Amino acid sequence: MYAQPTHPASDDVDSEIAAADALARQVETMLANGSLDGTAAQFAQPRGADLLRRTAAVEAWHDARSNDGLWQYARSLEGAPYPIASIRDEAGTAARGINFASQDYLSLASHPQVADAAARALREAGPHSAGSAVLLGNTRYSLALEQAIAGLVATEHVALFPTGWGAAFGAITALVQAQDHIVIDQFAHASLRQGANAATSNISINRHLDVAHVRQLLGAIRARDTEHGIMVVTEGLFSMDSDTPDLAALQALCHEYGATLLVDVAHDLGAMGPGGGGCIASQGMLGKIDLVMGAFSKSFGSNGGFVATASRSVKRHLQLFAGPHMFSNALSPVQAATIGECIQIIRSEEGDTLRADLMRNVEGLRSLLAAEGLTCMGIASPIVPVLIGGEKASRLVGKLLFEQSVFVNQVEFPGVPIGASRLRLQLMSNHNMQQIKRAAPVIGQTVARARAALAAAEARRRDHGANTAD
Ligand SMILES: Cc1ncc(COP(=O)(O)O)c(C=O)c1O
């Protein structure tokens, strides 16, 4: 019998071509099913008299995506948010792999000292705050936490909130009245934008990080209105772009135009900057920002949020008029003790070590992804956004990475503008270089495979359309 001589390299090439072809065919089916099409924007404002039935369209869109494994939301963890984690997608498919999709930048959620503090508080005070912060919801843990936050951001008065979202929304809606003005960065977090929209219709949106544009907007407002207040809203580290504004310049502009600066430090406080003081500390602005607002959910092992101010009367006003402070139950003793313990670690030498480990991982991942030809947006921070662009390619990459046990958040509208989809990778101190070296080429190759498959499938559909038209 004649045996066909084979060369291993040509076998490899053949199987690569076959795999690429199979993927392109799969994508062609997805395109035919419509599961790569559309954005959530189409379903945001449904019309019709029946409030409940008119949600059916978004469910049909979800089903088409989900049937093709392209629904990236509502996945769940089986255990703790470790760098290696077991997760399930919404359809119940399980996978274990490298986790860049959790927010626990300093890995404090699994720190034994933090677990002990939480357990102690649970034993001593129970699991429940049993009231809002103004109606006996405060505990000795939450009072100690106010002091600890005040120390961390070098600002005297602190109001706590049950979530970071509530802190953002509550601060803006309490302090800004309908006649006042807001100047807000175009990429500010939804909690800030929704707070702004609820507070006033006098909203000016500044181009991302563009201080000159903020000056122009403030000048225009003050030229017609010297009577009312202006709040300028930005973030210390932008959550989808990993970049930071010039805080000194913005604060100076606010002084010049009689405006108030609010900086949301949800992503940088604790994880970045000297002593964990975030971008405010890196920029030498500790204690100099009008309002510092933050979330505990990224680096402090717990839900929760805060607003810090130099003014006692501002705190008093927030207590009475920030809805999520006044009318929502306070942080539980366990949450407050957890966050307090995290702050102790963050401000210690161990905190410096954890931040150094985190930055080693960040820089390692960014340089390996760049070597793969990928664009990492922004500055080195725990957030590594990899720009993909179109939703179709981004969804496909998200699905393929999940199948290869590399977990990232695939972000599209409403998280980011349409056409600016991206992978958002979030790093932790406890990741190691072995995991990062293993994941980076998988991500690089997957982006290339997805783009090629999409181009091939679209070309085939065009050819097919042209043939049938003939
Ligand atoms: C910039 C920013 N602000 C506020 C929040 C809200 O914080 P939390 O999720 O802790 O309520 C988030 C969380 O996603 C955020 O990214």
Side-chain angles (χ1 to χ4, degrees), residues 103 163-165 168 189 191 235 239 264 266-267 293 295-298 304:
Q103 306 190 122
T163 63
W165 200 96
H189 188 257
S191 54
E235 293 180 22
S239 62
D264 177 344
H267 287 273
M293 175 252 125
F296 298 123
S297 52
K298 330 293 175 192

Side-chain angles (χ1 to χ4, degrees), residues 185 206-215 218 232-238 242-255 261-265 268 279-286 288-290 379:
D185 190 284
N206 70 269
R207 285 188 296 271
H208 185 48
L209 306 184
D210 189 337
V211 175
H213 193 209
V214 174
R215 172 184 286 283
L218 288 174
V232 174
V233 179
T234 190
E235 293 180 22
L237 179 74
F238 277 82
S242 185
D243 49 15
T244 184
D246 182 339
L247 295 171
L250 287 177
Q251 186 61 75
L253 273 185
C254 286
H255 290 320
L261 181 63
L262 180 145
V263 181
D264 177 344
V265 295
D268 50 307
C279 291
I280 290 180
S282 314
Q283 296 190 29
M285 292 298 288
L286 265 185
K288 297 180 191 164
I289 302 288
D290 292 328
I379 60 168

Side-chain angles (χ1 to χ4, degrees), residues 115-157:
D116 283 349
R120 248 190 337 269
L122 181 64
R123 274 196 310 274
E124 288 170 11
H128 188 32
S129 66
S132 100
V134 289
L135 296 176
L136 207 52
N138 280 333
T139 58
R140 68 185 174 83
Y141 304 95
S142 67
L143 297 184
L145 177 56
E146 288 178 2
Q147 296 301 312
I149 287 291
L152 185 60
V153 299
T155 301
E156 205 173 337
H157 302 284

Side-chain angles (χ1 to χ4, degrees), residues 83-326:
I84 300 292
S86 297
I87 75 175
R88 244 172 231 286
D89 69 11
E90 193 204 41
T93 309
R96 182 166 176 76
I98 306 174
N99 178 17
F100 297 114
S102 289
Q103 306 190 122
D104 183 24
Y105 298 148
L106 297 178
S107 297
L108 290 177
S110 54
H111 195 293
Q113 213 173 299
V114 174
D116 283 349
R120 248 190 337 269
L122 181 64
R123 274 196 310 274
E124 288 170 11
H128 188 32
S129 66
S132 100
V134 289
L135 296 176
L136 207 52
N138 280 333
T139 58
R140 68 185 174 83
Y141 304 95
S142 67
L143 297 184
L145 177 56
E146 288 178 2
Q147 296 301 312
I149 287 291
L152 185 60
V153 299
T155 301
E156 205 173 337
H157 302 284
V158 170
L160 294 174
F161 289 78
T163 63
W165 200 96
F169 189 88
I172 297 175
T173 49
L175 293 168
V176 177
Q177 306 307 313
Q179 317 85 317
D180 296 327
H181 304 264
I182 291 179
V183 175
I184 185 166
D185 190 284
Q186 70 180 116
F187 295 153
H189 188 257
S191 54
L192 301 164
R193 284 187 280 117
Q194 291 184 21
N197 288 331
T200 177
S201 54
N202 299 331
I203 296 177
S204 307
I205 296 171
N206 70 269
R207 285 188 296 271
H208 185 48
L209 306 184
D210 189 337
V211 175
H213 193 209
V214 174
R215 172 184 286 283
Q216 195 185 324
L217 294 170
L218 288 174
I221 294 166
R222 279 294 175 238
R224 58 180 197 277
D225 183 358
T226 52
E227 300 279 297
H228 299 107
I230 310 175
M231 181 179 276
V232 174
V233 179
T234 190
E235 293 180 22
L237 179 74
F238 277 82
S239 62
M240 294 294 173
D241 302 82
S242 185
D243 49 15
T244 184
D246 182 339
L247 295 171
L250 287 177
Q251 186 61 75
L253 273 185
C254 286
H255 290 320
E256 188 179 336
Y257 287 93
T260 297
L261 181 63
L262 180 145
V263 181
D264 177 344
V265 295
H267 287 273
D268 50 307
L269 189 70
M272 296 175 75
C279 291
I280 290 180
S282 314
Q283 296 190 29
M285 292 298 288
L286 265 185
K288 297 180 191 164
I289 302 288
D290 292 328
L291 293 166
V292 180
M293 175 252 125
F296 298 123
S297 52
K298 330 293 175 192
S299 300
F300 300 81
S302 171
N303 290 2
F306 73 91
V307 177
T309 162
S311 154
R312 174 182 281 277
S313 64
V314 168
K315 175 174 174 179
R316 186 79 58 211
H317 187 86
L318 292 175
Q319 283 178 324
L320 287 176
F321 302 111
H325 182 90
M326 174 83 164

Side-chain angles (χ1 to χ4, degrees), residues 17 131 133-134 160 168 176 201 260 263 288 348 356 374 382-383 387 389 393 402 424 426 442-443 459 464:
I17 292 172
V134 289
L160 294 174
V176 177
S201 54
T260 297
V263 181
K288 297 180 191 164
S348 71
L374 297 173
I383 303 164
L387 187 64
F402 179 78
R424 184 169 74 158
Q426 285 165 296
V442 175
I443 297 168
H464 182 68

